[in-house]
Amino acid sequence: MTPFHQAREAWEAASDLRTTRSVLKQYAYGRQWDALRRSVAHGLAAPSKFEEAHLRNSRPPITSNLIRSLIKTVVGRFRLGLSEERRDEAPSASELRIRRANRLDELDARALEEFLISGCAIQRVTLERRFDGTEVWVDNVNPSRFFCNRFMDPRGSDIRLIGMLHDMSLAEMCLRFGHGSRRRHRDLGAIFSRGRGGVHQGSVARLASEVAETDFATPSDPSLCRIVEVWTLEIDKRKGPVWVCRYYSPEGELIDTTPSPFAHRSHPFVVTLYPLTDGEVHPFIEDVIDRQRHINMLISNMDQILAHSAKGVLLFPTDALPEGTDMRLATDLWGNPGGVIPINPNASRLPSEVAPAGHTQAPAQLLELDLRLFQQISGVSGALLGQASSGYTTSTLYQAQADNAVIALRDIFDTFASFREARTAKALAITRN
């Protein structure tokens, strides 16, 4: 089996991870009822009867996006830690150059956001010439474009095949793979034409949809060509284990091949999947999805109750109207603060207002419980969120609560710190002799 076919098998084997990531991303960015529909369609969730009713109802259900606030809090805490880290460190000139060229703090903040949503932190570290010059470049890799063999070691030491999907213009293909040869440029032009030949308007519209999955062979932009980058660990009789890079067309035509050109002799990827228990990925926000769904259901339920219950309805017996007064005048006076309504003293019954009697009390109590459970499950307490404490909470206790919340997130932060250390080590070793 060729590396191209191995890459395609690895890509297809990760389809569940990509589908789950797509659903969790929708939850994270507020499209939660759409995410529920997608979860049901892929067998990832079973909706309650109430959720099914809302999915069929023309009245739009309500979303209270606590997951987004949770992610922003964790990323904010990470950025605060970066500020403290920068004050105490003394980076080398090479490390400082790499950090400034790539704006690593911003890049890592976005990588952490992806890590919380999908459980995947992936970056690609290369030495190449770009518009801003020849540098060691670090790029975040979208998990929907990434593939590797199934591995069990959290350090990735058992990775034997790894790669990603690229979309390139013909000019970029010629620059990267032409090697200054006119014949190769002509061959690349033919590959480019074939690589774009299967892209039709229907597939373009499908790929533009938010819920569409990335296709292995179809570029996301019809003006570009899909290129498959595949790295494999192979045995060389003279050098021992070596990493070899190959680039393929969507049809599996070999475009270029080269052994690792980097000083570290490895592939350019740095990968951390969380927590990788028995090779499984379970993202941080996965734990609070059920609570988020229940909170949305309760708030939508309360909204439905309020929308369909009597509120401020005036029961005004017709015989209570004094002579010469019409119902419109009585209605206007009832709605005015301090209004005085003339009443017929001989009326059989006085006017009264109908108001709901505690219909939302039970859902409100469940909602309060859900909010507390959301904080307990996520480990992000009100203290970490900066919410006001009760009048009986001392400043020392409040700080202790915030510190304990950070401890609950320590595994996330330390795992991501380990990822960043591995990335920096690979970036520094890329040109080392």
Side-chain angles (χ1 to χ4, degrees), residues 106-263:
E106 182 64 28
L107 202 67
D108 287 347
R110 301 286 67 80
L112 175 59
E113 189 165 355
E114 174 68 54
F115 187 55
L116 298 174
I117 294 171
S118 67
C120 305
I122 310 168
Q123 289 182 339
R124 184 173 180 266
V125 184
T126 58
L127 174 66
E128 59 186 18
R129 182 182 178 182
R130 296 186 180 178
F131 182 78
D132 292 328
T134 301
E135 297 282 357
V136 175
W137 297 106
V138 179
D139 300 299
N140 285 343
V141 177
N142 189 328
S144 67
R145 289 175 172 262
F146 174 80
F147 57 85
C148 67
N149 65 277
R150 188 169 185 263
F151 63 99
M152 311 292 284
D153 189 335
R155 299 165 297 182
S157 61
D158 50 345
I159 292 178
R160 299 292 181 266
L161 178 142
I162 193 169
M164 67 174 294
L165 308 177
H166 300 271
D167 290 339
M168 295 186 188
S169 65
L170 178 58
E172 185 177 359
M173 288 175 62
C174 291
L175 180 64
R176 286 176 175 268
F177 313 121
H179 304 311
S181 167
R182 292 185 178 180
R183 181 182 60 81
R184 284 187 61 84
H185 282 205
R186 288 195 300 268
D187 292 343
L188 290 171
I191 291 174
F192 180 81
S193 298
R194 290 194 295 272
R196 296 175 59 225
V199 181
H200 304 291
Q201 290 300 319
S203 61
V204 171
R206 178 181 59 81
L207 290 170
S209 171
E210 290 179 333
V211 299
E213 292 186 9
T214 303
D215 184 75
F216 184 81
T218 307
S220 56
D221 185 332
S223 66
L224 304 177
C225 181
R226 172 57 49 84
I227 302 295
V228 184
E229 176 186 1
V230 186
W231 290 77
T232 53
L233 184 61
E234 302 178 5
I235 302 299
D236 184 274
K237 292 182 179 179
R238 292 183 296 107
K239 299 180 181 179
V242 294
W243 280 97
V244 179
C245 175
R246 296 178 177 86
Y247 290 92
Y248 291 94
S249 75
E251 292 78 22
E253 299 171 89
L254 182 62
I255 296 175
D256 205 0
T257 181
T258 178
S260 175
F262 311 122

Side-chain angles (χ1 to χ4, degrees), residues 310-317 321 327-335 341 343 349-355:
K311 298 176 292 297
V313 177
L314 176 62
L315 299 181
F316 204 108
L321 284 172
M327 190 63 72
R328 180 174 297 178
L329 175 60
T331 302
D332 292 341
L333 291 173
W334 187 276
I341 301 177
I343 298 294
R349 190 159 54 91
L350 291 178
S352 62
E353 186 173 9
V354 176

Side-chain angles (χ1 to χ4, degrees), residues 3-81:
F4 175 81
H5 292 95
Q6 291 176 330
R8 183 144 203 163
E9 282 193 355
W11 164 266
E12 291 171 352
S15 61
D16 288 345
L17 187 148
R18 292 192 298 273
T19 300
T20 301
R21 172 186 178 267
S22 178
V23 170
L24 295 179
K25 186 177 70 170
Q26 286 182 303
Y27 271 104
Y29 295 115
R31 301 183 295 271
Q32 296 178 358
W33 291 92
D34 291 338
L36 177 58
R37 291 185 180 91
R38 186 167 173 78
S39 298
V40 173
H42 287 83
L44 301 177
S48 66
K49 291 183 179 179
F50 184 83
E51 286 174 322
E52 287 181 347
H54 267 296
L55 292 174
R56 295 192 301 265
N57 197 349
S58 59
R59 181 180 176 85
I62 295 175
T63 297
S64 180
N65 192 1
L66 299 180
I67 293 178
R68 181 62 178 155
S69 175
L70 174 66
I71 292 173
K72 289 168 68 176
T73 298
V74 177
V75 174
R77 177 62 62 167
F78 167 74
R79 284 189 178 272
L80 180 62

Side-chain angles (χ1 to χ4, degrees), residues 409-421:
L409 297 172
R410 188 65 184 264
D411 185 45
I412 287 286
F413 287 134
D414 282 2
T415 300
F416 192 70
S418 176
F419 165 79
R420 293 173 59 233
E421 289 173 2

